[in-house]
Amino acid sequence: MISMPAGKPIIVKKNLRVCLDCHSAIKYISLVVGRKIIVRDNTRFHHFADGLCSC
């Protein structure tokens, strides 16, 4: 997060499902950092922005 430009979203690719703890943590991180985080797990894309998720 430190080395990336400020307006660019963070993209994470994962081959396992996102557990509830990770889901909550990423929501909180997107709220604190103020950036969009896109996580791809084995079933769908999760778009985290401003402490909310698209799912």
Side-chain angles (χ1 to χ4, degrees):
M1 285 190 262
I2 295 172
S3 64
M4 294 181 67
K8 191 171 182 181
I10 299 166
I11 300 172
V12 178
K13 295 178 183 176
K14 188 176 176 183
N15 62 350
L16 299 172
R17 289 205 42 135
V18 177
C19 68
L20 292 176
D21 292 334
C22 293
H23 198 268
S24 298
I26 297 171
K27 283 199 292 190
Y28 182 71
I29 291 169
S30 72
L31 180 65
V32 170
V33 176
R35 295 173 73 173
K36 186 173 185 177
I37 301 173
I38 302 169
V39 178
R40 168 73 171 120
D41 65 4
N42 64 349
T43 14
R44 65 180 126 186
F45 283 92
H46 298 267
H47 296 267
F48 297 95
D50 300 323
L52 300 173
C53 182
S54 61
C55 64

